[in-house]
Amino acid sequence: MTDNTDTCFATTLPNGLRVCYLPIQSEVAYCGLTIDAGSRDELPGQHGLAHFVEHTIFKGTRHRRAWHILNRMERVGGELNAFTTKENTTIYSIFPRPHLERATELIADLVAYSTFPQQEITREREVVLDEAASYRDSPAEAIYDDFEDLIWAGSTLGHNILGNEDDLRQFTGDDCRQYLNNLYVPSNMVFFIVGNYKQPSRLFNIVERHFGSLNHQLTKHQRVAPAILPAFDTTQQFGTHQSHTIYGAPVCNMHDENRYAMLLLNNLLGGPGMNSLLNIAIRERRGYAYTVESGVTLFSDCGLLQIYFGSDQCHVRRAIKVIGDIIDRLATKPLNERALEAAKKQFIGQLTVASDNHEAFALSAGKSFLYNGRHITNQEVNTRINAVTAQQLMDAAASIHPTRASILTFK
């Protein structure tokens, strides 16, 4: 079997669980659950519960204690991991190819039979509080949370994924079980498999054997798109020698036809390449900042582009002006054909390189199937990027123009 990351086999089990398999040429395989549930699905007074459940789901089931869960995959050289975002949670395993059923059964056990023992709840609460404190100790990370709290204020997106101490102190095993029973249900999840296997039907049978008994229905999943609030320009005292700044604005969502122009714009502005417009203008030419980068997050009903830089305080306003000037130019003057084609070629090349990371590919495939009902192939993405016009790029830049953008600075 040759590597073909554009091939996908999929089925839906009788209970509504979607399963997708993508073949790769490797002796290492990946499988996991992507759940359409994150911090924006928490009830008032339960901020941080989605992330807390992701931690405590590993702390015991009807069949295993925490130590046995941790060792189940490690004993065969594999790994078990999880992470939470504002809209989804993923529980997954990486393992030598022969151990797919071992990993599948373990993940099913976590979702169907977690017990959330009180002793483990109490212990893990302190771990999560320490994790939250470590983020607050890093202004380069904390500023992203504070910026999102401001720009999404009043919405379910406007609070930290890790939650706050008051809410975390109140969580019980019953809270965790209720959240899991409400949202970790077949119709709200995708099970993905990425590996070198010859019979997709056999893989689907393995998943049905261990997940087929799940049959409870989705009982709570209501999301309201956040309101677009007036732009702000705020400085907060953080007591640091270096200033940290985010410039950002709401953008399109993950289903919008303009998303490919936004992704291309983000990469052009401050993507991973050292030749990004902002890195050249702010770091290389002027020496205003050591780090300047851009990132875009597309949610199911909204999006956010953020530009971060860290600099001496005397350079903050100068760097902001440079950012504004570059975006204004992109919004009012179309890129010439040569520059546009160069930007597309670089972005597509970076996506090709990134797809060679099988772990990232597996996680991306699970998310794509969850929100699109299918695997979006590399060829399709490349075609859509190549179709972006100079006008579409201008429109994307106009949506984050200085007249619409917000700014937060820590100093």
Side-chain angles (χ1 to χ4, degrees), residues 35 72-73 201 207 230 246 271 287-288 309 373:
I35 305 108
R72 181 66 176 162
M73 297 311 300
S201 60
V207 179
I246 284 186
Y288 287 167
F309 66 90

Side-chain angles (χ1 to χ4, degrees), residues 129-161:
L129 287 169
D130 286 344
E131 181 182 359
S134 71
Y135 274 88
R136 293 306 303 173
D137 286 342
S138 173
E141 294 178 335
I143 193 169
Y144 282 93
D145 290 327
D146 285 17
F147 185 83
E148 291 180 12
D149 288 352
L150 291 171
I151 207 161
W152 301 132
S155 86
T156 53
L157 286 171
H159 65 267
N160 192 314
I161 292 171

Side-chain angles (χ1 to χ4, degrees), residues 190 209 359 376:
V190 165
R209 183 155 56 245
E359 179 178 358
I376 297 179

